[in-house]
């Protein structure tokens, strides 16, 4: 390969429709991101079609000197044509199997359009709901993010990347992007080595262990060094510590952004810093394209460094089978997209993503004898709004609206009364037996570059709900949102809250089925819901401080003007069943512990409960969180039944990254809870011997 051909493999260009054929034929383009802009998640995109991809591929394979195929990439974030809930909603299912099934479906649909590389899963732990991209992640817990990351990677990639329907995944945004100061997207982060290793890195490590093919470096800097130019994070952590052999790509234009950061003088220096830090592909900045030749010629980038990066890219293309099979069957998409099977897999995940936060007097599920059901709010017949941020290929016409979903559940003697306008709704609600009010955010209030300063419902909605609440009919609120919402104290009279997130193509059906009790909701929050934005950042696995939180005493860590507890804690979610947790017991087992508790369904309704195991390392050489999730099980509990739920923790499971950034296990006292959420459960204690 000539130097220019090598550099071509490290260059990724956007906008598949604008690419100059001569550039491909010259061999100076290795991959393409199908996206019309840097904010693709916020904009309607042209659909990617296999025909166009084949045209580009033909130019590379048949028109260029070496015939190296292009690698075609796209942001396939939560589904492709069949759209699953936003990832934050998916994570509320705590269901790796269903997440894997939807990743498999998305991979097959994307593959049929010619895509071989998807920029997902997004593994940024986020503790600040102002950050719009909290929607795209799997919540605030590093362990849960890691488990779900593995499932997603398996779903996209399978065991053999060259199989039909398998694509390369990309763990992003490496790393710390979710810690943006003030929750403002792209902002500076300050993360201590201890927090980096114990909180922000583990989900990426899990993805590497699952064999993720690629990793994307994030836009942010950490403590003065942009990640895209961090030799420590790319070369040392990813390559040396974790033996990651896949491709590292920058986020869109991030190489050049190092100039704005004030870390590189100009594009040339940015290219030099990035490649020498270990970054293989430059997405959209053209810094490698313009400057690598000169940098290599002048000895500022070694040939070894360049060749290693090129080899990793070529290796990925070989693994994907692109050399043997570069083209896409143009008839495939119609056969595999939005099929009954894919809709069924998506519906299963969507059902499990719904979280019931309140259900006073068992207003839900809706009773059969309710004659007049009111359905109100601005989004009752929305389609594209249900698809959520980063939905590039889902079609609004495929979406089942909430109204359609509800109509499908009505008995012949039940009437549905609907209104979108607030005054009309308030007027009509008084004639109903129950009012279902659908509120929430537009997807453009979430996602990339869409951070906010309040976690209240969007303007007017709380007031609207206050009026409906005053009428005296039972009120059930469905919240469509991409982040935790602080439900105002003014709404404490509302009978039920169901969080539907941005639920995707099957959302209307799943939400209606939950309301009518076709299935029993089992989702649990994977982010803390604050009382108000003033509590942010708030997360369950915080440290104790020397003056631990106690709301009833003064002089301790507390707020003066509000309660300190969150509105709803991590792990929380109700069911139409009711469960009782027995005492947690712990006994030595192998080199670690067996922890168990009996969970009983004390209701007359069958249910599934997500049983959670938390620990606290009571004293250690570095302070540890007040609770850490260490395991969970989805347990099926028929009405009146009980089950002993058993967890095994090995000695190694009880460790953490210590002051020298390596995993250590320290003997001493540990506390254990088997609990329905991160603040309940009965504690048991045991000592880990030295
Ligand atoms: C986003 C990434 C995305 C990339 C390509 C960036 O703006 O941060 O998540 O994969 O664009 O569209």
């Amino acid at each position: 390969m000539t130097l220019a051909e090598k550099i071509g493999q490290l260059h990724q260009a956007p906008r598949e429709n604008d690419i100059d054929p001569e550039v491909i034929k010259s061999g100076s383009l290795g991959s393409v991101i199908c996206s019309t802009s840097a904010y693709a998640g916020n904009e309607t995109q042209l659909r990617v079609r296999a025909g166009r991809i084949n045209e580009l591929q033909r130019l590379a394979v048949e028109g260029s000197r070496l015939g190296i195929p292009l690698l075609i990439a796209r942001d396939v974030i939560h589904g492709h044509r069949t759209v699953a809930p936003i990832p934050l909603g998916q994570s509320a299912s705590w269901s790796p199997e269903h997440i894997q099934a939807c990743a498999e479906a998305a991979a097959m649909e994307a593959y049929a359009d010619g895509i071989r590389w998807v920029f997902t899963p997004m593994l940024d732990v986020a503790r600040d709901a102002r950050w719009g991209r909290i929607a795209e992640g799997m919540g605030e817990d590093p362990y849960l993010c890691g488990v779900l990351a593995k499932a997603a990677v398996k779903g996209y990639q399978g065991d053999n990347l060259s199989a039909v329907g398998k694509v390369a995944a990309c763990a992003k945004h490496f790393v710390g992007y979710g810690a943006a100061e003030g929750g403002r997207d792209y902002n500076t982060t300050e993360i201590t080595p201890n927090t980096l290793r114990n909180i922000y890195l583990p989900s990426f490590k899990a993805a590497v262990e699952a064999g993720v093919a690629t990793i994307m470096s994030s836009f942010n800097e950490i403590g003065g060094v942009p990640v895209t130019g961090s030799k420590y994070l790319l070369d040392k952590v990813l390559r040396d510590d974790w033996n990651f052999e896949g491709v590292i790509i920058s986020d869109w234009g991030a190489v050049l952004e190092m100039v704005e950061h004030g870390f590189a003088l100009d594009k040339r220096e940015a290219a030099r810093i990035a490649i020498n830090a270990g970054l293989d592909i430059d997405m959209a900045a053209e810094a490698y394209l313009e400057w690598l030749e000169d940098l290599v010629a002048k000895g500022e980038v070694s040939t070894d460094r360049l060749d290693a990066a090129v080899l990793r890219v070529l290796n990925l293309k070989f693994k994907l089978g692109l050399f043997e099979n570069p083209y896409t069957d143009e008839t495939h998409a119609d056969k595999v997209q939005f099929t009954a099977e894919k809709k069924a897999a998506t519906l299963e995940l969507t059902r499990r993503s719904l979280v019931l936060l309140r259900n006073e007097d068992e207003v839900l599920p809706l009773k059969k004898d309710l004659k007049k059901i009111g359905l109100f709010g601005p989004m009752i017949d929305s389609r594209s709004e249900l698809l959520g941020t980063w939905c590039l290929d889902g079609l609004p016409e495929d979406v089942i609206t909430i109204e359609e979903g509800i109509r499908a559940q009505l008995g012949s003697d039940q009437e549905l009364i609907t209104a979108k306008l607030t005054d009309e709704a308030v007027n009509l609600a008084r004639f109903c037996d129950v009012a279902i009010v659908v509120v929430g955010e537009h997807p453009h209030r979430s996602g990339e570059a869409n951070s906010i300063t309040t976690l209240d419902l969007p303007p007017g909605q709380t007031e609207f709900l206050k009026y409906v609440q005053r009428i005296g009919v039972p009120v059930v609120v469905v919240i469509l949102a991409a982040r935790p919402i602080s439900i105002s104290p003014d709404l404490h009279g509302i009978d039920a809250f169901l969080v539907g997130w941005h639920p995707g193509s099957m959302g209307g059906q799943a939400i209606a089925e939950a309301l009518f009790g076709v299935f029993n909701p089992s989702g649990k929050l994977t982010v803390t819901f604050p009382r108000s934005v003033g509590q942010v950042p708030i997360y369950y696995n915080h440290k104790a401080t020397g003056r631990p939180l106690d709301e009833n005493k003064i002089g301790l860590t507390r707020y003066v003007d509000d309660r300190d507890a969150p509105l709803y804690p991590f792990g929380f979610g109700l069911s139409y069943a009711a469960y009782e947790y027995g005492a947690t017991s712990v006994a030595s087992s192998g080199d670690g512990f067996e922890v168990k508790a009996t969970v009983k369904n004390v209701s007359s309704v069958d249910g599934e409960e997500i049983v959670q195991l938390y620990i606290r390392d009571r004293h250690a050489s570095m302070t540890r969180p007040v609770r850490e999730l260490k395991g969970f099980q989805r347990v099926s509990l028929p009405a009146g039944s009980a089950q002993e739920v058993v967890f095994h923790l090995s000695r190694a499971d009880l460790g953490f990254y210590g002051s020298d950034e390596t995993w250590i296990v320290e003997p001493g006292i540990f506390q254990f809870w088997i609990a329905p959420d991160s603040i309940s459960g009965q504690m048991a204690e045991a000592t880990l011997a030295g």
Side-chain angles (χ1 to χ4, degrees):
M1 291 174 84
T2 63
L3 186 53
E5 283 163 343
K6 288 181 186 175
I7 293 168
Q9 292 304 310
L10 309 184
H11 168 54
Q12 180 167 96
R15 303 182 187 91
E16 69 279 14
N17 293 316
D18 298 344
I19 293 172
D20 178 355
E22 293 311 313
V23 171
I24 300 180
K25 288 204 256 173
S26 71
S28 45
L29 181 66
S31 59
V32 176
I33 165 160
C34 301
S35 161
T36 51
S37 83
Y39 308 102
N42 293 320
E43 290 169 0
T44 309
Q45 298 285 304
L46 288 175
R47 294 199 59 205
V48 179
R49 309 308 309 186
R52 174 64 183 150
I53 301 300
N54 282 341
E55 277 171 26
L56 297 177
Q57 203 61 292
R58 207 156 280 123
L59 291 168
V61 173
E62 292 162 34
S64 73
R65 190 178 76 90
L66 296 174
I68 300 173
L70 294 168
L71 184 42
I72 305 295
R74 175 103 158 153
D75 289 295
V76 177
I77 311 292
H78 48 107
H80 186 65
R81 167 82 188 273
T82 315
V83 182
I86 54 167
L88 187 62
Q90 293 188 25
S91 68
S93 73
W94 298 57
S95 180
E97 310 86 83
H98 292 93
I99 287 175
Q100 183 177 331
C102 283
E104 276 165 15
M108 179 60 87
E109 290 188 338
Y111 183 98
D113 280 338
I115 296 155
R116 296 289 180 273
W117 186 7
V118 294
F119 291 133
T120 195
M122 199 271 224
L123 303 178
D124 294 306
V125 164
R127 294 170 155 186
D128 190 333
R130 292 171 296 182
W131 190 51
R133 302 199 80 171
I134 198 169
E136 291 175 57
M138 308 270 202
E140 71 190 32
D141 182 69
Y143 169 79
L144 181 61
C145 278
V147 172
L148 302 182
K150 286 186 174 172
V153 170
K154 223 169 158 200
Y156 292 111
Q157 298 191 168
D159 299 327
N160 173 9
L161 269 183
S162 68
V164 171
K166 293 300 168 201
V167 295
C170 181
K172 72 183 189 185
H173 307 85
F174 184 83
V175 60
Y177 183 39
E181 283 181 357
R184 215 179 63 217
D185 204 6
Y186 316 123
N187 208 3
T188 309
T189 73
E190 289 288 346
I191 306 173
T192 63
N194 184 257
T195 306
L196 188 67
R197 286 280 176 183
N198 287 295
I199 302 293
Y200 291 102
L201 285 173
S203 49
F204 289 95
K205 187 159 189 289
V208 170
E209 284 162 8
V212 74
T214 72
I215 290 182
M216 185 185 293
S217 74
S218 53
F219 287 124
N220 56 293
E221 67 155 84
I222 302 181
V225 181
V227 176
T228 300
S230 169
K231 205 170 165 49
Y232 168 74
L233 288 168
L234 307 188
D235 254 3
K236 180 178 184 313
V237 174
L238 285 180
R239 303 272 187 229
D240 296 350
D241 296 357
W242 298 354
N243 297 317
F244 176 63
E245 290 173 356
V247 170
I248 305 177
I249 180 168
S250 75
D251 203 339
W252 182 295
V255 174
L256 187 55
E257 288 185 14
M258 288 196 288
V259 176
E260 287 294 341
H261 276 286
F263 193 69
L265 176 64
D266 52 23
K267 209 171 191 175
R268 183 180 187 282
E269 192 180 13
R272 175 174 59 74
I273 292 173
I275 189 132
N276 284 333
L279 187 94
D280 300 324
I281 297 184
D282 166 9
M283 183 199 293
E286 301 189 357
Y288 283 8
L289 192 67
E290 287 173 32
W291 289 105
L292 272 188
E293 197 156 347
D294 183 53
L295 288 163
V296 172
K298 300 209 168 94
E300 293 173 60
V301 172
S302 71
T303 313
D304 284 355
R305 175 63 88 174
L306 180 84
D307 286 355
V310 175
L311 268 176
R312 282 189 284 264
V313 175
L314 293 177
N315 195 22
L316 177 58
K317 292 184 176 184
F318 275 112
K319 281 192 180 157
L320 284 163
L322 282 171
F323 285 91
E324 295 80 23
N325 187 17
Y327 301 114
T328 300
D329 171 358
E330 291 175 27
T331 66
H332 197 204
D334 287 342
K335 294 178 204 143
V336 299
Q337 291 184 346
F338 207 59
T339 58
E341 193 193 12
K342 295 199 174 52
K343 287 192 269 183
T346 305
L347 179 62
E348 284 302 322
L349 178 59
T350 315
R351 285 172 167 168
R352 285 169 175 79
S353 73
L354 306 177
V355 186
L356 184 65
L357 291 181
R358 185 186 299 171
N359 192 18
E360 293 300 309
D361 302 324
E362 297 186 353
V363 61
L364 291 177
L366 296 172
K367 310 290 170 297
K368 296 277 174 233
D369 59 358
L370 298 169
K371 294 288 172 262
K372 282 191 176 185
I373 297 175
L375 177 64
F376 306 121
M379 290 197 262
I380 57 175
D381 60 356
S382 295
R383 293 188 197 278
S384 64
E385 288 75 6
L386 265 54
L387 292 174
T389 185
W390 277 122
C391 166
L392 310 188
D393 297 274
L395 302 180
E397 56 267 35
D398 290 344
V399 174
I400 300 169
T401 68
I402 294 185
E403 181 177 342
E404 287 165 351
I406 287 182
R407 284 199 188 279
Q409 294 300 329
L410 292 180
S412 54
D413 58 345
Q414 289 181 308
E415 186 187 352
L416 189 69
I417 294 169
T418 62
K420 287 174 77 177
L421 294 176
T422 52
D423 53 350
E424 198 193 355
V426 173
N427 195 16
L428 289 172
R430 65 180 67 240
F431 303 107
C432 295
D433 299 319
V434 64
I436 304 167
V437 188
V438 182
V439 294
E441 307 181 293
H442 189 278
H444 288 171
R445 195 183 186 239
S446 72
E448 186 170 357
N450 294 325
S451 301
I452 55 176
T453 60
T454 169
L455 300 180
D456 298 341
L457 285 166
Q461 296 190 2
T462 298
E463 200 186 6
F464 171 39
L465 286 174
K466 257 168 58 185
Y467 275 88
V468 182
Q469 178 181 273
R470 274 207 256 174
I471 287 167
V473 298
V475 183
V476 170
V477 173
V478 176
I479 304 177
L480 303 178
R483 54 162 56 82
I485 295 289
S486 297
I487 298 160
S488 150
D490 291 342
L491 303 179
H492 284 180
I494 298 280
D495 299 274
F497 279 106
L498 180 73
V499 181
W501 314 107
H502 288 144
S505 318
M506 307 306 288
Q509 181 174 342
I511 287 171
E513 287 178 350
L515 296 176
F516 283 82
V518 174
F519 70 93
N520 185 356
S522 60
K524 302 246 189 185
L525 297 178
T526 58
V527 275
T528 303
F529 270 43
R531 284 173 192 280
S532 72
V533 76
Q535 287 185 318
V536 168
I538 183 168
Y539 45 93
Y540 88 94
N541 49 356
H542 60 85
K543 302 291 185 67
T545 85
R547 296 184 173 195
L549 208 61
D550 184 336
E551 299 204 330
N552 303 314
K553 295 189 186 149
I554 58 164
L556 301 176
T557 176
R558 66 189 271 268
Y559 292 112
V560 171
D561 61 350
D562 201 348
R563 303 217 13 229
D564 301 287
L567 187 64
Y568 294 107
F570 173 89
F572 180 81
L574 298 172
S575 156
Y576 297 150
Y579 306 106
E580 257 175 32
Y581 280 64
T584 308
S585 73
V586 55
S588 294
S589 161
D591 70 347
F593 296 108
E594 181 182 87
V595 193
K596 54 190 181 188
T598 298
V599 183
K600 195 168 176 196
N601 181 343
V602 291
S603 74
S604 55
V605 183
D606 298 346
E608 280 183 11
E609 168 73 341
I610 297 162
V611 179
Q612 301 155 42
L613 169 68
Y614 295 92
I615 69 154
R616 179 174 181 191
D617 182 346
R618 197 58 196 78
H619 58 112
S621 57
M622 297 190 86
T623 59
R624 303 296 304 139
V626 294
R627 279 205 192 186
E628 280 179 84
L629 182 74
K630 283 287 171 183
F632 60 91
Q633 290 178 36
R634 175 180 281 275
V635 180
S636 185
L637 285 167
S641 70
Q643 191 174 318
E644 187 177 62
V645 184
V646 184
F647 293 91
H648 293 276
L649 286 174
S650 70
R651 194 179 175 85
D653 291 334
L654 298 169
F656 62 96
Y657 289 95
S659 56
D660 66 355
E661 296 178 43
T662 60
W663 189 254
I664 47 169
V665 182
E666 294 182 349
I669 300 169
F670 284 81
Q671 297 174 330
F672 304 84
W673 294 259
I674 291 183
D677 59 60
S678 59
I679 58 169
S680 330
Q682 301 175 45
M683 189 261 281
E685 221 169 61
T687 301
L688 184 70

